[in-house]
Amino acid sequence: QYMQDMLKSHIKCPIHVCKPGIEDLFLRFNRIKDNSTNNKVRFLTVANFDSSWNRSKGHIDILESLNHINSKNWHWEIIGDTQTDIELFEKFKKKAAQYNLHKNITIFGKCPPNEVFLAYQEADALIHFANWESYGMVYAEAMAFNLPIITSAVGESPHLVEHKISGYLLNNKNELSQALENFISSPDLRKKMTLETAKRKHKINTWENTYSG
């Protein structure tokens, strides 16, 4: 929908956009996780380290936002290539140590699909703070696992996430810090957003739907 709306302002002929699909493996997950009793909230980011403007997924912004919240009752897992932008990755590690948050963060690097599947399965929410997205495959993957999405309002996220209902659509780091603090501190909010995300799974495609549509 985002790409269609953007193209309409430049192209004056009918446009049909095929939504990307996700792997069937992801859509087989039907369990709604009870994350209201977790000792530590588990955040997940699935994105390569890349500092170019149109590819940045906001790793540093997320780190700085986590540093500004009072609670340390969280763990952040990151899946993605650390060698795409080694300078950014080294900067991230240095800042994490400087903030004394390195013990709250696990970086897995690139992972095969089955390990990504397990990470989604164990997470409580997806954090994705990109500058720009044409679609954002991680949104669809996270929704397949009923994960609330805490994200910048880019790409398809405004069409998939209902702000403060099934996740958060945010514009800056201050808003991100507040959203993370709220999510961590309220078990009832986590449970509610998980259930609301489960109601919206019909919005995502399998590849078969994409090919036939």
Side-chain angles (χ1 to χ4, degrees):
Q1 185 63 52
Y2 165 75
M3 287 298 293
Q4 190 171 29
D5 293 344
M6 184 177 70
L7 289 170
K8 278 180 179 177
S9 63
H10 301 284
I11 301 172
K12 304 304 179 185
C13 61
I15 298 169
H16 181 71
V17 177
C18 295
K19 284 186 180 180
I22 63 171
E23 300 295 334
D24 290 343
L25 174 69
F26 287 10
L27 286 171
R28 292 176 199 158
F29 184 80
N30 293 315
R31 179 170 60 88
I32 297 178
K33 183 179 177 183
D34 182 6
N35 55 12
S36 61
T37 57
N38 290 2
N39 293 326
K40 277 198 173 185
V41 175
R42 294 178 68 164
F43 293 119
L44 176 66
T45 293
V46 182
N48 296 336
F49 282 82
D50 194 331
S51 58
S52 54
W53 184 87
N54 64 329
R55 293 181 181 175
S56 172
K57 308 305 180 185
H59 292 85
I60 298 290
D61 288 340
I62 297 168
L63 179 65
E64 291 176 347
S65 297
L66 285 166
N67 185 49
H68 284 111
I69 65 178
N70 293 318
S71 174
K72 294 295 181 284
N73 193 30
W74 54 267
H75 194 86
W76 181 22
E77 297 183 348
I78 303 171
I79 291 176
D81 192 347
T82 61
Q83 302 304 300
T84 306
D85 191 329
I86 296 174
E87 185 177 344
L88 173 64
F89 180 54
E90 292 301 323
K91 179 181 177 182
F92 179 90
K93 289 195 297 182
K94 185 176 180 180
K95 275 184 173 284
Q98 176 188 333
Y99 297 154
N100 198 29
L101 295 179
H102 53 290
K103 292 180 180 178
N104 291 67
I105 301 168
T106 301
I107 302 170
F108 292 104
K110 291 174 70 174
C111 294
N114 63 310
E115 292 181 18
V116 178
F117 180 99
L118 291 173
Y120 276 120
Q121 186 173 319
E122 295 301 321
D124 296 307
L126 178 83
I127 316 178
H128 191 74
F129 211 64
N131 287 332
W132 186 85
E133 291 283 0
S134 58
Y135 179 72
M137 288 299 300
V138 289
Y139 302 137
E141 291 173 357
M143 288 179 70
F145 288 87
N146 307 315
L147 293 187
I149 298 170
I150 301 171
T151 180
S152 46
V154 298
E156 195 68 7
S157 65
H159 301 285
L160 296 174
V161 180
E162 190 170 352
H163 183 51
K164 294 186 177 180
I165 303 297
S166 63
Y168 290 97
L169 296 168
L170 308 163
N171 298 301
N172 55 59
K173 288 187 289 185
N174 289 336
E175 291 183 4
L176 177 57
S177 292
Q178 188 60 59
L180 293 169
E181 187 87 73
N182 292 344
F183 192 84
I184 292 167
S185 63
S186 176
D188 289 341
L189 177 65
R190 296 199 298 273
K191 186 173 183 178
K192 171 179 169 284
M193 285 187 167
T194 300
L195 292 171
E196 289 292 337
T197 301
K199 294 177 185 177
R200 290 162 172 76
K201 286 177 73 167
H202 66 277
K203 293 186 176 185
I204 56 180
N205 269 5
T206 63
W207 283 115
E208 185 177 349
N209 295 148
T210 300
Y211 298 146
S212 62

